[in-house]
Amino acid sequence: MKRFKYIFRAFLAVLLINLTTLANAQDFQGNRPQENSERNYMSSPESQAWLDSVDISLLTCGPGQEVWSYYGHTALRIEDHVHGTDLAVNWGMFSFKQAFFILRFVFGMTDYQIGIFPMEHFIAEYSSEGRWVRQQRLALTREEKIKILSAIDENNKEENRTYRYNFFFDNCTTRARDMIIRNLGQHITDFKDVDAQSTYRKEIHRLNENHKWARFGNDLLLGFMADRPISKQEWEFLPENLSKDFATEARKDTTVQKTMAEVYPTKKRYIKLVDSTFYLIPVQADHAIESESITPFRVALALGAVIFLLSIIEVFKRKNFWWLDMTLLILTGIPGFILLAMIYSEHPTVQINFQILILNPLNLIFAWKTCRNLYKGKIYWYYNIWGILLFVSLFMQIWQHYAEGMEILALSLLMRYVIRSIVYDLRKQKKQLNK
């Protein structure tokens, strides 16, 4: 793959050579000073004509079967019809061979790279995975094309190739969008960064609704910031969303472009940003996804039933199931340290997570003293704190959507606390009356 990073640079070099050659020839014929040639060659119709053979397109790829591919992918395609060059520009290059890849990904410290390689390789990869690819050719002026190509070449330099990946804020889709919009000039588009009437969580829910455990994992790590309203620009972190916006956005009309795109009847000086759309790999018939028989909701429901039954047996049999509380405190305390660690993540959407009140790291710290007192028939002060935190966690759902089954777990644990506390108070009153 390394050798392909030079292909694009060679392509750009050919482009510039063609332009400057035409410009110098014109200067020679007109006896113009050499220093004026570089200033004027881009404004010369003869020197710019070759750029009409270059097409820059947005590529949107359908979802795959792997967890990291559920949400699709975005790339750019650059075609030079004169010289027969056809390249894909991809900002989604990563390697699992990176040290501590999963841990780095969770903490927002994963590095991705730009990759440029032949389009046929790109198509072959997505075809083998059974994923569709849609192409949207962009209506660009010659000057805008050279700006985008130069920006990509600069991005592809060794010192600029790597970037710190963030799923919501800086990913393969936002990189492709910014490469186009920044060099197109947002001031000449009709793009308005309005409220998208959605949230980050709602958007990813649309794409992982058939993958219950993947959704559970996402929702468990995402905090309340994932439930805040997002703008239209933030909404474009997903490939399909960006594709929809490019299909409906417009840009100011130019004389060069009047034959390239349909003029908007309601926007007198605007034309479509996308002038043609077609599938490189067509959408295949949806394969039925096998429903997961064991879901987070069913697991939480089963766990809640076990806690309730054991608590009832404890009451009627007059037993002391202190070991049940020990088990629950340990099982909810261990994952609590994961949520605690998320506070230090570079992902803003995972730093504040109210589910830590349910999966609480303090449970593990105070488990031994709490259960030693329960064994002796006493209530340790942290046991009451635990109950209060569980109650508060249910209230905090007003601001944050919890992972599937988490509210059932919280209710089950709170029920266990209430039953245990009532039994303790009744026994305490009975002992006082006997005295």
Side-chain angles (χ1 to χ4, degrees), residues 62-326:
Q65 298 302 314
E66 304 295 342
V67 173
W68 59 84
S69 65
Y70 288 164
Y71 311 99
H73 185 55
T74 299
L76 295 181
R77 182 182 187 180
I78 300 173
E79 301 172 86
D80 174 10
H81 299 286
V82 169
H83 299 95
T85 306
D86 193 359
L87 301 173
V89 184
N90 181 6
W91 282 270
M93 307 299 293
F94 68 92
S95 173
F96 283 119
K97 294 181 180 179
Q98 294 181 37
F100 307 106
F101 177 85
I102 299 298
L103 195 61
R104 289 172 62 88
F105 185 87
V106 170
F107 281 93
M109 296 185 292
T110 308
D111 291 330
Y112 275 45
Q113 290 186 340
I114 182 177
I116 300 175
F117 41 87
M119 189 64 193
E120 60 186 72
H121 292 190
F122 185 88
I123 292 297
E125 178 182 354
Y126 282 87
S127 179
S128 65
E129 295 175 3
R131 301 170 63 179
W132 55 262
V133 177
R134 182 172 60 239
Q135 175 171 324
Q136 293 169 292
R137 191 175 66 181
L138 305 177
L140 302 171
T141 66
R142 296 164 179 172
E143 184 178 359
E144 288 162 354
K145 289 178 183 179
I146 193 62
K147 284 183 179 180
I148 293 171
L149 294 173
S150 298
I152 293 175
D153 181 59
E154 181 67 23
N155 192 179
N156 193 42
K157 290 180 179 178
E158 197 66 35
E159 63 272 21
N160 300 328
R161 300 183 76 234
T162 302
Y163 70 98
R164 182 53 54 87
Y165 176 87
N166 186 291
F167 180 71
F168 290 132
F169 307 115
D170 194 358
N171 60 27
C172 59
T173 301
T174 61
R175 287 263 161 170
R177 176 200 63 196
D178 293 345
M179 185 60 66
I180 298 299
I181 296 299
R182 287 175 182 174
N183 291 287
L184 180 68
Q186 190 164 322
H187 65 284
I188 68 168
T189 71
D190 70 341
F191 177 81
K192 293 181 176 61
D193 196 18
V194 297
D195 187 358
Q197 303 295 316
S198 187
T199 66
Y200 284 123
R201 196 188 305 272
K202 287 180 180 178
E203 289 305 306
I204 63 174
H205 274 191
R206 290 192 298 103
L207 299 175
N208 62 18
E209 61 182 351
N210 295 320
H211 307 278
K212 297 294 185 181
W213 285 103
R215 173 184 281 199
F216 175 82
N218 288 334
D219 286 339
L220 190 62
L221 293 179
L222 290 175
F224 89 102
M225 287 295 290
D227 294 296
R228 69 171 179 82
I230 58 176
S231 67
K232 199 70 170 177
Q233 186 172 355
E234 292 171 320
W235 185 75
E236 291 175 347
F237 79 97
L238 286 177
E240 187 63 23
N241 292 352
L242 178 64
S243 178
K244 289 178 180 178
D245 277 356
F246 267 40
T248 56
E249 287 173 8
R251 52 156 304 149
K252 284 187 179 179
D253 190 16
T254 66
T255 304
V256 176
Q257 293 170 305
K258 284 183 179 178
T259 59
M260 296 173 60
E262 175 188 345
V263 176
Y264 277 77
T266 58
K267 300 177 180 179
K268 291 300 182 184
R269 296 189 58 238
Y270 281 84
I271 61 173
K272 288 183 177 179
L273 179 58
V274 173
D275 70 351
S276 66
T277 302
F278 51 91
Y279 282 89
L280 300 174
I281 302 178
V283 179
Q284 305 294 324
D286 291 335
H287 297 288
I289 299 176
E290 294 184 8
S291 59
E292 299 169 332
S293 57
I294 302 177
T295 64
F297 177 80
R298 291 176 179 176
V299 170
L301 203 60
L303 181 59
V306 170
I307 294 173
F308 177 75
L309 289 174
L310 289 176
S311 298
I312 295 299
I313 292 173
E314 180 184 33
V315 171
F316 285 97
K317 295 288 186 180
R318 296 183 179 180
K319 301 290 184 178
N320 182 5
F321 290 167
W322 62 271
W323 51 267
L324 176 59
D325 299 280
M326 171 72 85

Side-chain angles (χ1 to χ4, degrees), residues 321-375:
F321 290 167
W322 62 271
W323 51 267
L324 176 59
D325 299 280
M326 171 72 85
T327 302
L328 295 175
L329 287 169
I330 292 175
L331 290 180
T332 55
I334 293 175
F337 279 98
I338 298 176
L339 299 186
L340 179 64
M342 291 298 98
I343 295 175
Y344 303 98
S345 172
E346 293 187 17
H347 291 298
T349 51
V350 303
Q351 292 173 348
I352 303 177
N353 190 337
F354 299 141
Q355 291 172 111
I356 199 172
L357 299 174
I358 305 171
L359 303 179
N360 196 327
L362 294 176
N363 292 354
L364 194 61
I365 296 174
F366 292 102
W368 171 246
K369 286 189 176 181
T370 299
C371 293
R372 187 173 64 178
N373 280 270
L374 290 175
Y375 177 75

